[in-house]
Amino acid sequence: MDSLTTYVLRLGDNGLVLSQRLGAWCGHAPELEIDLALANIGLDILGQARNFLTYAGQRLGDQDEDSLAFQRDERQFGNLLLVEQPNGHFGDTLVRQYFIDAWHVALYSRLITSQDPQIAAIAAKALKEVKYHLRFSRGWLERLGQGTALSAEKVQGSINELWRFTAELFEADEHDQAMAAAGIGVDPRQLEAPWREEVTAGVYQAGLLLPQEAAYRRGGKQGLHTEHLGPMLAEMQILPRSYPGQQW
């Protein structure tokens, strides 16, 4: 698979997996406003995923967004490890979302100038959405961090637990570097400074602390996932795999 197709497919996988996680909150969030907000954020991210997966399918020639979403196995997904982590309690979901929202804003702010017209168009639409997502997640991070002693303790625990997955956000392999050199993609290493600026400010404003240890978990982009992705895909893919070719 060429670098452009791989690059686009990874972006689509990130959105597909994260939107599936967010969708699981529907009907289970702490209050109705949050329930609706998480569902809408999930739909935004699913829309971004569909655009990237459709483009990847066009490049592959023999697949479409549905086959890429429902007919691939775990090792064929190239999403970041962060997005596949379980929802846990609301603080876990909130911190996961905040980390990825800050990354999305930095990423799409640069992809709008991509030399690939389709990527630039997807990024331009997505940037408007992810800026709202970031306001939502940062706002709730502040509420929880400055809320009760229990809420601050729980969300600090979420930061500590998920921090180990953040290094992969800035890992650049040969596909990333090829796309950056062609002016099509972004070198992930260039996203670290704006991401850290946002996250440092947001966590500090919430009265919380960033972990001192270095993040170390990697491998998602190469198909080496945590134990959490396989069960999620099994649930997501069971109907189209059980009844292939059915129209609903």
Side-chain angles (χ1 to χ4, degrees):
M1 191 183 302
D2 64 78
S3 290
L4 177 54
T5 306
T6 300
Y7 187 78
V8 173
L9 192 55
R10 287 173 176 176
L11 292 174
D13 287 347
N14 284 335
L16 179 64
V17 172
L18 182 57
S19 65
Q20 182 74 5
R21 286 295 192 212
L22 291 171
W25 273 105
C26 192
H28 299 282
E31 58 184 47
L32 182 59
E33 180 184 359
I34 299 173
D35 196 302
L36 294 173
L38 291 177
N40 283 324
I41 290 171
L43 287 173
D44 286 343
I45 294 172
L46 179 61
Q48 296 161 19
R50 291 188 63 188
N51 288 331
F52 283 123
L53 292 177
T54 296
Y55 187 24
Q58 291 169 351
R59 292 192 55 80
L60 290 168
D62 59 347
Q63 298 189 65
D64 59 15
E65 62 178 275
D66 288 336
S67 63
L68 289 172
F70 300 121
Q71 300 300 328
R72 286 184 297 148
D73 296 327
E74 177 183 338
R75 288 295 297 271
Q76 295 173 295
F77 276 73
N79 58 276
L80 298 164
L81 297 179
L82 177 62
V83 301
E84 69 192 46
Q85 297 312 299
N87 285 336
H89 56 70
F90 178 61
D92 294 329
T93 292
L94 189 281
V95 170
R96 183 188 65 198
Q97 193 63 36
Y98 179 58
F99 284 165
I100 202 68
D101 288 342
W103 185 78
H104 273 157
V105 169
L107 173 68
Y108 291 134
S109 295
R110 289 156 178 78
L111 282 182
I112 59 175
T113 60
S114 171
Q115 294 299 305
D116 184 294
Q118 280 194 252
I119 292 179
I122 295 171
K125 180 178 185 298
L127 182 58
K128 300 174 184 177
E129 297 169 339
V130 298
K131 284 182 176 179
Y132 161 73
H133 302 168
L134 181 59
R135 289 197 300 272
F136 173 85
S137 60
R138 180 168 175 170
W140 272 102
L141 184 74
E142 183 177 348
R143 290 186 186 97
L144 294 175
Q146 296 185 4
T148 65
L150 178 60
S151 70
E153 178 184 354
K154 294 185 75 171
V155 77
Q156 181 66 63
S158 302
I159 292 172
N160 297 343
E161 176 67 20
L162 292 170
W163 183 255
R164 57 185 163 153
F165 299 105
T166 57
E168 191 181 25
L169 299 172
F170 318 112
E171 183 180 54
D173 65 5
E174 68 274 14
H175 299 297
D176 296 311
Q177 294 177 45
M179 289 297 93
I184 294 173
V186 177
D187 188 326
R189 292 170 292 190
Q190 297 180 354
L191 304 178
E192 185 168 8
W195 182 87
R196 282 188 175 275
E197 181 180 0
E198 163 58 42
V199 168
T200 300
V203 170
Y204 176 79
Q205 188 172 351
L208 302 166
L209 299 172
L210 288 178
Q212 295 303 306
E213 63 269 26
Y216 61 90
R217 289 299 302 270
R218 297 174 171 85
K221 294 198 291 186
Q222 290 75 40
L224 304 175
H225 296 282
T226 66
E227 69 273 21
H228 305 297
L229 182 63
M232 193 214 78
L233 290 179
E235 181 179 5
M236 184 181 80
Q237 296 175 340
I238 186 170
L239 278 178
R241 284 185 178 247
S242 298
Y243 304 97
Q246 293 296 311
Q247 300 294 315
W248 305 95

